[in-house]
Amino acid sequence: MAGVLNLAPPPIFRPIPIRRHPKTTRFSIRSSAEVSETPLASVSTKEEEESKLGFAAPPNFKPPQPKRFSVRPDKILDIMGAALAIFFRLGTGALVSGYSGSLVAKNEIPPDKYALEIAGFKLKETSKLGPRPEKPIEIYEFESCPFCRKVREIVAVLDLDVLFYPCPRNGPNFRPKVGQMGGKQQFPYMVDPNTGVAMYESDDIIKYLVGKYGMCSYASVFSM
């Protein structure tokens, strides 16, 4: 029979224990104290002086007295004349090309749709628009020009998408561009990127827009 004997190693082969001392970190702390020699009374005096600094009214200043808003007597007619346009503008939606309205019974208008009610009836509004341009039409103009105003009105009547480029007098942005494209600085100037047509003259522009994107003839638009 064979057996296994577990014999302890002789003392000479035993490991020698090594003592390890933990590392210690030493810090040196120095403290210093500074004592202010400024007395507390002088500190409070400086704070009071700084709090007094601020904005003050000039000498002999008198605040204005509140007054009720009123119109100068010599400006009443000017304001009334300028306000007359609002009454005409209130109904410009009815001048859109293809617009029509009729009074119908209440049950003909779905309850989830808004309609103006007049004397027990409701106003049914419909509109028919002409061909729509794929790209916005470009119009170069300026506000005080009466010929440009005519073109703006027909754009509103036809309900067209238009890019207006303001070209005031001595304007550095778009005014020189008109001279480069058309050869002269005359306004209004229209460019239709959908057809490549570009032209001056407000009447010619109106005829073109009505004939190309309107539902009716040029004469019928201005007979309304």
Side-chain angles (χ1 to χ4, degrees), residues 2 4 11 37 41 61 67 81 83 90 93 97 111 113 122 126 132 137 141 150 152 161 170 176 178 199 218 220 223:
V4 178
E37 297 180 356
F61 173 77
K67 295 181 180 180
L90 289 175
S97 179
K113 291 186 178 181
K122 286 192 174 182
T126 58
R132 301 290 88 185
I137 299 171
E141 50 90 41
K150 291 168 56 178
R152 291 196 299 267
D161 292 332
N170 300 325
V178 174
M199 63 178 65
Y218 175 80
S220 62
S223 63

Side-chain angles (χ1 to χ4, degrees), residues 130-137 159-162 192-194 212-213:
R132 301 290 88 185
E134 295 182 2
K135 299 178 182 179
I137 299 171
D159 196 19
L160 294 175
D161 292 332
V162 173
D192 189 352
N194 303 281
K212 184 68 178 177
Y213 302 107

Side-chain angles (χ1 to χ4, degrees), residues 117-130:
E117 186 173 348
I118 303 174
F121 296 90
K122 286 192 174 182
L123 179 63
K124 183 179 180 181
E125 299 174 290
T126 58
S127 61
K128 296 180 181 179
L129 299 176

